[in-house]
Amino acid sequence: MSGTLHGKIALITGGSTGIGLATAKRFAGEGAFVYITGRRATELDKAVAEIGGNVRAITGDIANLDDLDRLYATIGEEKGRLDILVANAGTVELRPTALADAEHFDKTFNTNARGTYFTVQKALPLFIEGGAIVLVSSGMNVKGFPAYGAYAGTKAAIRSFARTWAAELKDQGIRVNVLSPGVIETPIIDVQFTTPEAVETALAAFKSIIPMGRLGRPEEMADAVYYLASDQSSYTTGFELVADGGVTEI
Ligand code: NAD
């Protein structure tokens, strides 16, 4: 198979749904061999069937360091290296700070911040020929929306990690960049709210502040990740690509 990512080995965490799934399809379509990971075997099986080829799923929780070790041991045994990592898995729970407990805080930080940190750290020995790492943050990393405090804090941490890693990994030929999506039509929208009416109200409120007047599509995020992961961005590192219909930019 030909394609601009032909011969590349990629891993996408949270690759069974939403932005991760769209990115897996994009990469596989460009000829990469794509590993996807997530916690739910049934969702992963569905995604593998949808992607069609050049893909393999491995179950695992990014908050669990043993799962990460097992994931990288498998990729090491099967392919011997990794060229592209998209640290995309993430979780969100709306909780006004006054009502938050330690469980909410720890779950959010253990997945999004600690999980992303060790997803990258434990992948490094497999980057034997240089490569590209893309971290998925959020436009929320510069906003102060009520109830998103812990989530936004983790996404700001991710934006910061990219600066340090871009500096630390440049001599190994690894570029590290960030995608910060705005409001994108994926399953993570619905899980934030308890009723369909609440989803509609929230989406109407978001649309009213998005200059482009619409939500983003997962495929549009996949194009942005592709840019950061491919040689098209060969002179770019430590950068944050914001794809949010202008909401944090105008
Ligand atoms: P999604 O819910 O479809 O994707 C998130 C994926 O991460 C899911 O597959 C989920 O199973 C996986 N995941 C969650 N916790 C995990 C864990 N502990 N271990 C392994 N996998 C885990 O939603 P999405 O919108 O595609 O989200 C992808 C990324 O984009 C997330 O990091 C999210 O924070 C970020 N993001 C999304 C939006 C949006 O509006 N959709 C906006 C900004 C940022």
Side-chain angles (χ1 to χ4, degrees), residues 18 83 93 104 138 160 200 205 210 235 238-239:
D83 306 299
E93 238 176 31
H104 159 75
S138 165
S160 172
E200 259 180 49
I210 298 170
Y235 196 50
F239 170 67

Side-chain angles (χ1 to χ4, degrees), residues 13-22 37-40 43-44 59-64 67 87-92 107 110-112 115-116 135-140 151 154-155 158 179-189 191-192 215-216 218 221 243:
T13 65
S16 63
T17 56
I19 295 168
L21 174 59
T37 186
R39 292 158 303 169
R40 298 163 296 172
E43 292 293 321
L44 287 168
T59 51
D61 181 341
I62 63 159
N64 181 327
D67 282 6
N88 162 76
T91 191
V92 62
K107 181 182 169 194
N110 283 344
T111 302
N112 298 0
T116 298
L135 312 178
V136 180
S137 175
S138 165
M140 291 279 182
Y151 177 78
T154 63
K155 295 300 187 178
I158 288 171
L179 169 69
S180 285
V183 187
I184 314 303
E185 290 169 13
T186 72
I188 213 170
I189 301 288
V191 299
Q192 297 175 42
L215 307 191
M221 300 304 104

Side-chain angles (χ1 to χ4, degrees), residues 93-110:
E93 238 176 31
L94 291 193
R95 200 66 54 89
T97 306
L99 303 179
D101 55 17
E103 195 187 337
H104 159 75
F105 184 92
D106 291 346
K107 181 182 169 194
T108 310
F109 270 79
N110 283 344

